[in-house]
Amino acid sequence: MALLDRQQAFGYTQEDLKFLMAPMGASGEEAIGSMGNDSPLAVLSNKNKTLYHYFKQLFAQVTNPPIDPIREELVTSLVSFIGPKPNLLGIDEMNPPIRLEVSQPVLDFYEMEKIRNIDRYTEGKFRSYELDICYPVSWGKEAIEARLASLCAQAEDAVRSGFGILIISDRHIDRDLVAIPALLALSAIHQHLWGRVCVPRQVWCGRRARRARCTTSRCSAATARRPCTPISRSRRCLP
């Protein structure tokens, strides 16, 4: 699938490529811009917007000097954990669940591959299951609801079978397959597991997302809020 076709499939714009992706590719850092945003709200815009544009920050909280894990490493950290969340009140538990630790929540391609094959590195202590959020274009947009129901059922079956890490991926997109927005798929799966599997089992399952539409920190924050950490950015939409 051609690069331009992939970018269009995931809603990339010329503005995204020029002001967001190009500076990151050149310097390895997010581009610096003003805090203001005068673009119309997605719900009122006459342009097609991605699902991430419908989420807005309620307020801007600024500190001077900035608080981040570089300047304030004693009190701030990007370290994330993957796997079963322990019971914070279970101080007498004999065998608390073990978890994987990563240095920061955004994984590169090779780190994501390790998570995908985590059973090899942990001798079966962790098992991951990948959920493909793509579906045939020929099904039409009406098929999204049915595909989401299928994904929720797959996720529940995987959890009941002992998989502790769910990977939500759109990497199989091509000319015949279209991807459900990762944010939508993740939210649906999370709500289903919480309501159907039962709350005590919810603590064991970590959810990871591998998605191509991840251009800003806001996109990553919206995905993490669903909840999902860490996140892997696909390289297939970059020149």
Side-chain angles (χ1 to χ4, degrees):
M1 190 174 181
L3 173 62
L4 179 59
D5 292 336
R6 287 187 175 275
Q7 292 173 342
Q8 291 176 337
F10 287 105
Y12 280 73
T13 65
Q14 291 293 334
E15 185 180 53
D16 291 334
L17 297 176
K18 181 178 180 180
F19 296 108
L20 299 177
M21 309 307 295
M24 283 194 289
S27 63
E29 298 178 352
E30 190 172 4
I32 298 176
S34 65
M35 294 177 59
N37 184 358
D38 59 357
S39 60
L41 294 176
V43 69
L44 300 177
S45 176
N46 58 1
K47 303 294 184 181
N48 292 327
K49 300 289 185 179
T50 66
L51 186 59
Y52 302 97
H53 285 90
Y54 288 83
F55 295 85
K56 291 291 184 178
Q57 185 176 351
L58 293 180
F59 67 96
Q61 185 174 354
V62 181
T63 61
N64 190 11
I67 294 179
D68 56 46
I70 299 176
R71 301 171 180 82
E72 301 289 343
E73 60 180 352
L74 294 180
V75 294
T76 308
S77 174
L78 292 178
V79 171
S80 300
F81 295 93
I82 306 173
K85 293 183 179 180
N87 182 2
L88 297 179
L89 302 179
I91 58 177
D92 297 325
E93 289 185 3
M94 298 300 295
N95 297 307
I98 59 175
R99 309 177 73 187
L100 298 176
E101 178 180 320
V102 292
S103 59
Q104 50 107 5
V106 179
L107 306 181
D108 60 25
F109 179 79
Y110 301 103
E111 291 170 334
M112 195 65 192
E113 282 301 308
K114 289 183 179 179
I115 298 298
R116 183 173 285 108
N117 300 284
I118 193 62
D119 56 327
R120 300 181 186 175
Y121 299 95
T122 61
E123 299 180 350
K125 294 180 181 179
F126 286 92
R127 298 168 64 198
S128 63
Y129 185 87
E130 182 171 317
L131 296 169
D132 181 13
I133 61 176
C134 299
Y135 68 95
V137 177
S138 58
W139 290 5
K141 61 182 181 180
E142 295 79 8
I144 291 182
E145 186 174 353
R147 182 57 180 153
L148 285 174
S150 175
L151 287 170
C152 291
Q154 291 179 45
E156 181 176 343
D157 291 342
V159 170
R160 293 189 183 280
S161 299
F163 291 92
I165 299 175
L166 299 181
I167 300 174
I168 299 170
S169 174
D170 55 21
R171 65 174 178 156
H172 296 296
I173 189 173
D174 57 25
R175 293 184 181 274
D176 300 319
L177 296 175
V178 62
I180 296 174
L183 190 60
L184 177 60
L186 177 63
S187 299
I189 292 171
H190 171 68
Q191 293 297 328
H192 177 82
L193 292 179
W194 186 266
R196 293 290 299 277
V197 179
C198 81
V199 173
R201 291 182 63 88
Q202 175 70 11
V203 297
W204 40 223
C205 180
R207 287 160 299 283
R208 328 267 73 80
R210 183 189 186 278
R211 61 212 180 83
R213 175 66 201 188
C214 188
T215 55
T216 66
S217 55
R218 183 190 64 183
C219 295
S220 298
T223 304
R225 182 63 183 86
R226 291 304 45 95
C228 173
T229 51
I231 300 164
S232 174
R233 297 184 177 185
S234 173
R235 298 182 301 181
R236 299 186 179 187
C237 285
L238 302 180

